[in-house]
Amino acid sequence: MDIHNMPGPIDPEEVARAHQADLAAQGIHGVDYQHYWVDPAGGRIFCLVSAPDPETAAQVHREAHGLVADSIYEVVEGA
């Protein structure tokens, strides 16, 4: 799960476009950006991603749109 802390309010349509760019770029890296959530007023974006490692997940964001996450956490699905 990655977290982007943006400097102000977020336009959800811009985030949707960035997510589509991730989807277009992810395949060559073995990454799967599965879902994202937006906190428009709080300026935060959360991305659920399956990737070989955090660096590769960040590389897809970097190549797709340049908005690299501030933090990346390994998470596991709860029972």
Coordinates of all heavy atoms in Angstrom, one line a residue:
M1 N 0.9 -1.2 0.0 CA 0.0 0.0 0.0 C 0.9 1.2 0.0 O 1.8 1.3 0.8 CB -0.9 0.0 1.2 CG -1.7 1.2 1.5 SD -3.2 1.3 0.4 CE -4.2 0.0 1.0
D2 N 0.7 2.1 -0.9 CA 1.5 3.3 -0.9 C 0.6 4.5 -0.6 O -0.6 4.5 -0.7 CB 2.3 3.5 -2.2 CG 1.5 4.0 -3.4 OD1 0.4 4.5 -3.3 OD2 2.0 3.8 -4.5
I3 N 1.2 5.6 -0.1 CA 0.5 6.8 0.3 C 1.2 8.0 -0.3 O 2.5 8.1 -0.2 CB 0.5 6.9 1.9 CG1 -0.2 5.7 2.5 CG2 -0.2 8.2 2.3 CD1 -0.1 5.7 4.0
H4 N 0.4 8.8 -0.9 CA 0.9 10.1 -1.5 C 0.3 11.2 -0.6 O -0.9 11.3 -0.4 CB 0.4 10.3 -2.9 CG 0.8 9.2 -3.8 ND1 1.8 9.3 -4.7 CD2 0.3 7.9 -4.0 CE1 1.9 8.2 -5.4 NE2 1.0 7.3 -5.0
N5 N 1.1 12.1 -0.1 CA 0.7 13.2 0.6 C 0.9 14.5 -0.3 O 2.0 14.9 -0.5 CB 1.5 13.4 1.9 CG 1.2 12.3 2.9 OD1 0.1 12.0 3.3 ND2 2.3 11.5 3.2
M6 N -0.2 15.0 -0.8 CA -0.2 16.1 -1.7 C -0.3 17.4 -1.0 O -0.8 17.5 0.1 CB -1.3 15.9 -2.7 CG -1.4 14.6 -3.4 SD 0.2 14.1 -4.2 CE 0.1 15.1 -5.7
P7 N 0.2 18.5 -1.6 CA 0.2 19.8 -0.9 C -1.1 20.5 -0.8 O -1.2 21.6 -0.2 CB 1.2 20.6 -1.7 CG 1.2 20.0 -3.1 CD 0.9 18.5 -2.9
G8 N -2.1 20.0 -1.3 CA -3.4 20.6 -1.2 C -4.5 19.7 -1.7 O -4.3 18.5 -1.8
P9 N -5.7 20.3 -1.9 CA -6.9 19.5 -2.4 C -6.5 18.7 -3.7 O -5.7 19.2 -4.5 CB -8.0 20.5 -2.6 CG -7.6 21.6 -1.7 CD -6.1 21.7 -1.7
I10 N -7.2 17.6 -3.8 CA -6.9 16.7 -5.0 C -8.2 16.6 -5.9 O -9.3 16.5 -5.4 CB -6.6 15.3 -4.5 CG1 -5.4 15.3 -3.6 CG2 -6.4 14.3 -5.6 CD1 -5.1 14.0 -2.9
D11 N -7.9 16.7 -7.2 CA -9.0 16.5 -8.1 C -9.1 15.0 -8.4 O -8.1 14.4 -9.0 CB -8.7 17.2 -9.4 CG -9.7 17.1 -10.5 OD1 -10.6 16.2 -10.4 OD2 -9.6 17.8 -11.5
P12 N -10.2 14.3 -8.0 CA -10.3 12.9 -8.2 C -10.1 12.5 -9.7 O -9.6 11.4 -10.0 CB -11.7 12.5 -7.7 CG -11.9 13.6 -6.7 CD -11.3 14.8 -7.2
E13 N -10.5 13.3 -10.6 CA -10.4 13.0 -12.1 C -8.9 12.9 -12.5 O -8.5 12.1 -13.3 CB -11.2 14.0 -12.9 CG -12.7 13.9 -12.8 CD -13.4 14.9 -13.6 OE1 -12.8 15.5 -14.5 OE2 -14.6 15.1 -13.3
E14 N -8.1 13.8 -11.9 CA -6.7 13.8 -12.2 C -6.0 12.5 -11.6 O -5.2 11.9 -12.3 CB -5.9 15.0 -11.6 CG -6.2 16.3 -12.3 CD -5.5 17.4 -11.7 OE1 -4.4 17.2 -11.1 OE2 -5.9 18.6 -11.9
V15 N -6.5 12.0 -10.5 CA -6.0 10.8 -9.9 C -6.4 9.6 -10.8 O -5.6 8.7 -11.0 CB -6.5 10.6 -8.4 CG1 -6.0 9.3 -7.9 CG2 -6.1 11.8 -7.6
A16 N -7.6 9.6 -11.3 CA -8.1 8.6 -12.2 C -7.2 8.5 -13.4 O -6.9 7.4 -13.9 CB -9.6 8.8 -12.6
R17 N -6.9 9.6 -14.0 CA -6.0 9.7 -15.1 C -4.6 9.1 -14.8 O -4.0 8.3 -15.6 CB -5.8 11.1 -15.7 CG -7.1 11.5 -16.5 CD -6.9 12.8 -17.2 NE -6.7 13.9 -16.4 CZ -7.7 14.7 -15.9 NH1 -8.9 14.4 -16.1 NH2 -7.4 15.7 -15.1
A18 N -4.1 9.5 -13.6 CA -2.8 8.9 -13.2 C -2.8 7.4 -13.0 O -1.9 6.7 -13.4 CB -2.3 9.6 -11.9
H19 N -3.9 6.9 -12.4 CA -4.1 5.5 -12.2 C -4.1 4.8 -13.6 O -3.5 3.7 -13.7 CB -5.4 5.2 -11.5 CG -5.6 3.7 -11.2 ND1 -4.8 3.0 -10.4 CD2 -6.6 2.9 -11.7 CE1 -5.2 1.7 -10.4 NE2 -6.3 1.7 -11.2
Q20 N -4.8 5.3 -14.6 CA -4.8 4.7 -15.9 C -3.4 4.7 -16.5 O -3.0 3.7 -17.2 CB -5.8 5.5 -16.8 CG -7.2 5.3 -16.5 CD -7.7 3.9 -16.5 OE1 -7.4 3.1 -17.4 NE2 -8.3 3.4 -15.4
A21 N -2.6 5.7 -16.2 CA -1.2 5.7 -16.7 C -0.4 4.6 -16.0 O 0.4 4.0 -16.6 CB -0.6 7.1 -16.5
D22 N -0.7 4.4 -14.7 CA 0.0 3.3 -14.0 C -0.4 2.0 -14.6 O 0.5 1.1 -14.9 CB -0.5 3.2 -12.5 CG 0.1 4.3 -11.7 OD1 1.2 4.8 -11.9 OD2 -0.6 4.8 -10.7
L23 N -1.7 1.8 -15.0 CA -2.1 0.5 -15.6 C -1.4 0.3 -16.9 O -1.1 -0.9 -17.2 CB -3.6 0.5 -15.7 CG -4.5 0.6 -14.4 CD1 -5.9 0.6 -14.8 CD2 -4.1 -0.5 -13.5
A24 N -1.2 1.3 -17.6 CA -0.6 1.2 -18.9 C 0.9 0.9 -18.8 O 1.5 0.2 -19.7 CB -0.7 2.5 -19.7
A25 N 1.6 1.3 -17.7 CA 3.0 1.1 -17.5 C 3.4 -0.1 -16.7 O 4.5 -0.5 -16.7 CB 3.6 2.4 -16.9
Q26 N 2.5 -0.6 -16.0 CA 2.8 -1.6 -14.9 C 3.3 -3.0 -15.5 O 4.1 -3.7 -14.9 CB 1.6 -1.9 -14.0 CG 0.4 -2.5 -14.6 CD -0.8 -2.6 -13.7 OE1 -0.8 -2.1 -12.6 NE2 -1.8 -3.3 -14.2
G27 N 2.7 -3.4 -16.6 CA 3.0 -4.8 -17.1 C 4.4 -5.1 -17.4 O 4.9 -6.2 -17.1
I28 N 5.2 -4.2 -17.9 CA 6.6 -4.5 -18.2 C 7.5 -4.6 -16.9 O 8.6 -5.1 -17.0 CB 7.2 -3.4 -19.1 CG1 7.3 -2.0 -18.5 CG2 6.5 -3.4 -20.5 CD1 8.0 -1.0 -19.3
H29 N 6.9 -4.2 -15.8 CA 7.6 -4.3 -14.5 C 7.1 -5.4 -13.6 O 7.6 -5.6 -12.5 CB 7.5 -3.0 -13.8 CG 8.1 -1.8 -14.5 ND1 9.5 -1.7 -14.6 CD2 7.6 -0.8 -15.2 CE1 9.8 -0.6 -15.3 NE2 8.6 -0.1 -15.7
G30 N 6.1 -6.1 -14.0 CA 5.6 -7.2 -13.2 C 4.8 -6.6 -11.9 O 4.8 -7.2 -10.9
V31 N 4.2 -5.5 -12.1 CA 3.5 -4.8 -11.0 C 2.0 -4.8 -11.4 O 1.6 -4.8 -12.5 CB 4.0 -3.3 -10.9 CG1 3.2 -2.5 -10.0 CG2 5.5 -3.4 -10.5
D32 N 1.1 -4.8 -10.3 CA -0.3 -4.7 -10.5 C -0.9 -3.7 -9.6 O -1.1 -4.0 -8.4 CB -0.9 -6.1 -10.2 CG -2.4 -6.2 -10.4 OD1 -3.0 -5.2 -11.1 OD2 -3.0 -7.1 -10.0
Y33 N -1.2 -2.5 -10.1 CA -1.9 -1.5 -9.3 C -3.3 -1.8 -9.3 O -4.0 -1.7 -10.3 CB -1.6 -0.1 -9.9 CG -0.4 0.5 -9.3 CD1 0.8 0.4 -10.0 CD2 -0.4 1.2 -8.1 CE1 2.0 0.9 -9.4 CE2 0.8 1.7 -7.5 CZ 2.0 1.6 -8.2 OH 3.1 2.1 -7.6
Q34 N -3.8 -2.4 -8.1 CA -5.1 -3.0 -8.1 C -6.3 -2.0 -7.8 O -7.4 -2.2 -8.3 CB -5.1 -4.1 -7.0 CG -4.1 -5.1 -7.3 CD -3.8 -6.1 -6.2 OE1 -4.5 -6.0 -5.1 NE2 -2.9 -7.0 -6.4
H35 N -6.0 -1.1 -6.9 CA -7.1 -0.1 -6.5 C -6.5 1.1 -5.9 O -5.4 1.0 -5.5 CB -8.1 -0.8 -5.5 CG -9.4 -0.2 -5.4 ND1 -10.4 -0.2 -6.3 CD2 -9.8 0.6 -4.4 CE1 -11.4 0.5 -5.9 NE2 -11.1 1.0 -4.7
Y36 N -7.3 2.2 -5.9 CA -6.8 3.4 -5.2 C -7.9 4.1 -4.5 O -9.1 3.8 -4.8 CB -6.1 4.3 -6.2 CG -7.0 5.0 -7.2 CD1 -7.6 6.2 -6.9 CD2 -7.3 4.3 -8.4 CE1 -8.5 6.8 -7.8 CE2 -8.2 4.9 -9.3 CZ -8.8 6.1 -9.0 OH -9.6 6.7 -9.9
W37 N -7.6 4.8 -3.5 CA -8.6 5.6 -2.7 C -8.1 7.0 -2.7 O -6.9 7.3 -2.6 CB -8.8 5.1 -1.3 CG -9.3 3.7 -1.3 CD1 -10.6 3.3 -1.1 CD2 -8.6 2.5 -1.4 NE1 -10.8 2.0 -1.1 CE2 -9.5 1.4 -1.3 CE3 -7.2 2.1 -1.6 CZ2 -9.1 0.1 -1.4 CZ3 -6.9 0.8 -1.6 CH2 -7.8 -0.2 -1.5
V38 N -9.0 8.0 -2.6 CA -8.6 9.4 -2.6 C -9.3 10.1 -1.4 O -10.5 9.9 -1.1 CB -9.0 10.1 -3.9 CG1 -8.6 11.6 -3.9 CG2 -8.4 9.4 -5.1
D39 N -8.5 10.9 -0.7 CA -9.0 11.8 0.4 C -8.8 13.2 -0.2 O -7.8 13.8 0.0 CB -8.2 11.6 1.7 CG -8.5 12.6 2.7 OD1 -9.5 13.4 2.6 OD2 -7.8 12.6 3.8
P40 N -9.8 13.6 -1.0 CA -9.7 14.9 -1.7 C -9.3 16.1 -0.9 O -8.4 16.9 -1.2 CB -11.0 15.1 -2.5 CG -11.6 13.8 -2.5 CD -11.1 13.1 -1.2
A41 N -10.1 16.3 0.2 CA -9.8 17.4 1.1 C -8.5 17.3 1.9 O -7.9 18.3 2.1 CB -11.0 17.6 2.0
G42 N -8.2 16.1 2.3 CA -7.0 15.9 3.1 C -5.7 15.8 2.2 O -4.6 15.8 2.8
G43 N -5.8 15.7 0.9 CA -4.7 15.7 0.0 C -3.9 14.4 0.1 O -2.7 14.4 0.0
R44 N -4.6 13.3 0.3 CA -3.9 12.0 0.3 C -4.5 11.0 -0.7 O -5.7 11.0 -1.0 CB -4.1 11.4 1.7 CG -3.3 12.1 2.8 CD -3.4 11.4 4.1 NE -4.8 11.4 4.6 CZ -5.3 12.2 5.6 NH1 -4.5 13.0 6.2 NH2 -6.5 12.1 5.9
I45 N -3.6 10.2 -1.3 CA -4.0 9.2 -2.2 C -3.4 7.9 -1.7 O -2.2 7.9 -1.3 CB -3.4 9.5 -3.6 CG1 -3.9 10.8 -4.1 CG2 -3.8 8.4 -4.6 CD1 -3.1 11.4 -5.3
F46 N -4.1 6.8 -1.7 CA -3.7 5.5 -1.2 C -3.8 4.5 -2.4 O -4.9 4.4 -3.0 CB -4.6 5.0 -0.1 CG -4.7 6.0 1.1 CD1 -5.6 7.0 1.0 CD2 -3.8 5.9 2.1 CE1 -5.7 7.9 2.1 CE2 -3.9 6.8 3.2 CZ -4.8 7.8 3.2
C47 N -2.7 3.8 -2.7 CA -2.7 2.8 -3.8 C -2.4 1.4 -3.3 O -1.4 1.2 -2.6 CB -1.7 3.2 -4.9 SG -1.9 4.9 -5.5
L48 N -3.3 0.5 -3.7 CA -3.0 -0.9 -3.3 C -2.3 -1.5 -4.6 O -2.8 -1.5 -5.7 CB -4.3 -1.7 -3.1 CG -4.2 -3.1 -2.7 CD1 -3.3 -3.3 -1.4 CD2 -5.5 -3.8 -2.6
V49 N -1.1 -2.0 -4.3 CA -0.3 -2.5 -5.4 C 0.4 -3.8 -5.0 O 0.8 -4.0 -3.9 CB 0.8 -1.5 -5.8 CG1 1.7 -1.1 -4.6 CG2 1.7 -1.9 -7.0
S50 N 0.4 -4.7 -6.0 CA 1.2 -5.9 -5.9 C 2.5 -5.8 -6.7 O 2.4 -5.5 -7.9 CB 0.4 -7.1 -6.3 OG 1.2 -8.3 -6.3
A51 N 3.6 -5.9 -6.1 CA 4.9 -5.6 -6.8 C 6.0 -6.5 -6.2 O 5.9 -6.9 -5.1 CB 5.3 -4.1 -6.7
P52 N 7.0 -6.7 -7.0 CA 8.1 -7.5 -6.5 C 8.8 -6.9 -5.3 O 9.4 -7.6 -4.5 CB 9.1 -7.6 -7.7 CG 8.3 -7.2 -8.9 CD 7.2 -6.4 -8.4
D53 N 8.8 -5.6 -5.3 CA 9.5 -4.8 -4.2 C 9.0 -3.4 -4.3 O 8.5 -2.9 -5.3 CB 11.0 -4.9 -4.3 CG 11.5 -4.5 -5.7 OD1 11.4 -3.4 -6.1 OD2 12.1 -5.4 -6.3
P54 N 9.2 -2.6 -3.2 CA 8.8 -1.2 -3.2 C 9.4 -0.3 -4.3 O 8.8 0.5 -4.9 CB 9.2 -0.7 -1.8 CG 9.3 -1.9 -1.0 CD 9.8 -3.0 -1.9
E55 N 10.7 -0.6 -4.6 CA 11.4 0.2 -5.6 C 10.7 0.0 -7.0 O 10.6 1.0 -7.8 CB 12.8 -0.2 -5.7 CG 13.6 0.1 -4.5 CD 13.4 -0.9 -3.3 OE1 13.0 -2.0 -3.6 OE2 13.7 -0.5 -2.2
T56 N 10.3 -1.2 -7.3 CA 9.6 -1.4 -8.6 C 8.3 -0.8 -8.7 O 7.9 -0.2 -9.7 CB 9.5 -2.9 -8.9 OG1 10.8 -3.5 -8.8 CG2 9.0 -3.2 -10.3
A57 N 7.5 -0.8 -7.6 CA 6.3 -0.1 -7.5 C 6.4 1.4 -7.7 O 5.7 2.0 -8.5 CB 5.6 -0.4 -6.2
A58 N 7.5 2.0 -7.1 CA 7.7 3.4 -7.3 C 8.2 3.7 -8.7 O 7.8 4.8 -9.2 CB 8.8 3.8 -6.3
Q59 N 8.9 2.8 -9.3 CA 9.3 3.0 -10.7 C 8.2 3.2 -11.7 O 8.2 4.0 -12.6 CB 10.3 1.9 -11.2 CG 10.8 2.0 -12.6 CD 11.8 3.2 -12.7 OE1 12.4 3.6 -11.7 NE2 11.8 3.8 -13.8
V60 N 7.1 2.4 -11.5 CA 5.9 2.5 -12.3 C 5.3 3.9 -12.2 O 5.0 4.5 -13.2 CB 4.9 1.4 -12.0 CG1 3.6 1.6 -12.8 CG2 5.5 0.0 -12.4
H61 N 5.1 4.3 -10.9 CA 4.6 5.7 -10.7 C 5.5 6.7 -11.4 O 5.0 7.7 -12.0 CB 4.5 6.0 -9.2 CG 3.3 5.6 -8.5 ND1 2.1 5.3 -9.2 CD2 3.0 5.4 -7.2 CE1 1.2 5.0 -8.3 NE2 1.7 5.0 -7.1
R62 N 6.8 6.6 -11.2 CA 7.8 7.6 -11.8 C 7.6 7.6 -13.3 O 7.6 8.7 -13.9 CB 9.2 7.2 -11.4 CG 10.2 8.2 -11.7 CD 11.6 7.8 -11.1 NE 11.6 7.7 -9.7 CZ 11.7 6.5 -9.0 NH1 11.8 5.4 -9.6 NH2 11.7 6.5 -7.7
E63 N 7.6 6.5 -13.9 CA 7.5 6.4 -15.4 C 6.1 6.9 -15.9 O 6.0 7.5 -16.9 CB 7.8 5.0 -15.9 CG 9.2 4.6 -15.8 CD 9.5 3.2 -16.2 OE1 8.6 2.6 -16.9 OE2 10.6 2.7 -15.9
A64 N 5.1 6.5 -15.2 CA 3.7 6.8 -15.6 C 3.3 8.2 -15.5 O 2.7 8.8 -16.4 CB 2.7 5.9 -14.9
H65 N 3.7 8.9 -14.4 CA 3.2 10.3 -14.2 C 4.1 11.1 -13.3 O 3.8 12.3 -13.1 CB 1.8 10.3 -13.6 CG 1.6 9.3 -12.5 ND1 2.1 9.4 -11.3 CD2 0.8 8.1 -12.5 CE1 1.8 8.4 -10.5 NE2 1.0 7.6 -11.3
G66 N 5.1 10.5 -12.7 CA 6.0 11.2 -11.9 C 5.6 11.5 -10.4 O 6.4 12.0 -9.6
L67 N 4.5 11.0 -10.0 CA 4.0 11.2 -8.7 C 4.4 10.0 -7.8 O 3.6 9.1 -7.6 CB 2.5 11.4 -8.6 CG 1.9 12.6 -9.4 CD1 0.4 12.6 -9.4 CD2 2.5 13.9 -8.8
V68 N 5.6 10.0 -7.3 CA 6.1 8.9 -6.5 C 5.5 9.0 -5.1 O 5.4 10.1 -4.5 CB 7.6 8.9 -6.5 CG1 8.2 7.8 -5.6 CG2 8.1 8.7 -7.9
A69 N 5.2 7.9 -4.5 CA 4.6 7.8 -3.1 C 5.6 8.3 -2.1 O 6.8 8.1 -2.2 CB 4.1 6.4 -2.8
D70 N 5.0 8.9 -1.0 CA 5.8 9.3 0.1 C 6.2 8.2 1.0 O 7.3 8.1 1.6 CB 5.1 10.4 0.9 CG 4.8 11.6 0.1 OD1 5.8 12.3 -0.2 OD2 3.6 11.9 -0.2
S71 N 5.3 7.2 1.1 CA 5.6 6.0 1.9 C 5.0 4.8 1.2 O 4.0 4.9 0.5 CB 4.9 6.1 3.2 OG 5.3 7.2 3.9
I72 N 5.7 3.6 1.4 CA 5.1 2.3 0.9 C 5.2 1.3 2.0 O 6.3 1.2 2.7 CB 6.0 1.8 -0.3 CG1 5.9 2.8 -1.5 CG2 5.4 0.5 -0.8 CD1 6.8 2.5 -2.7
Y73 N 4.1 0.7 2.3 CA 4.0 -0.3 3.4 C 3.6 -1.7 2.8 O 2.8 -1.8 1.9 CB 2.9 0.1 4.4 CG 3.2 1.5 5.0 CD1 2.6 2.6 4.4 CD2 3.9 1.6 6.1 CE1 2.9 3.9 5.0 CE2 4.2 2.8 6.7 CZ 3.6 3.9 6.2 OH 3.9 5.1 6.7
E74 N 4.3 -2.7 3.3 CA 3.9 -4.0 3.0 C 2.6 -4.4 3.9 O 2.7 -4.2 5.1 CB 5.0 -5.0 3.2 CG 4.6 -6.5 2.8 CD 5.7 -7.4 3.0 OE1 6.9 -7.0 3.2 OE2 5.5 -8.6 2.8
V75 N 1.6 -4.8 3.2 CA 0.4 -5.2 3.9 C 0.0 -6.6 3.5 O 0.3 -7.1 2.4 CB -0.8 -4.2 3.7 CG1 -0.5 -2.8 4.2 CG2 -1.1 -4.1 2.2
V76 N -0.8 -7.3 4.4 CA -1.3 -8.6 4.1 C -2.8 -8.6 4.3 O -3.3 -7.8 5.1 CB -0.6 -9.7 5.0 CG1 0.8 -9.8 4.6 CG2 -0.8 -9.5 6.4
E77 N -3.5 -9.4 3.6 CA -5.0 -9.4 3.7 C -5.3 -10.1 5.0 O -4.8 -11.1 5.4 CB -5.6 -10.2 2.6 CG -7.0 -10.2 2.5 CD -7.6 -10.8 1.3 OE1 -6.8 -11.1 0.3 OE2 -8.8 -11.1 1.2
G78 N -6.3 -9.5 5.7 CA -6.8 -10.0 7.0 C -7.8 -11.1 6.8 O -8.3 -11.3 5.7
A79 N -8.0 -11.9 7.8 CA -8.9 -13.0 7.7 C -10.3 -12.6 8.0 O -10.6 -11.6 8.5 CB -8.5 -14.1 8.7

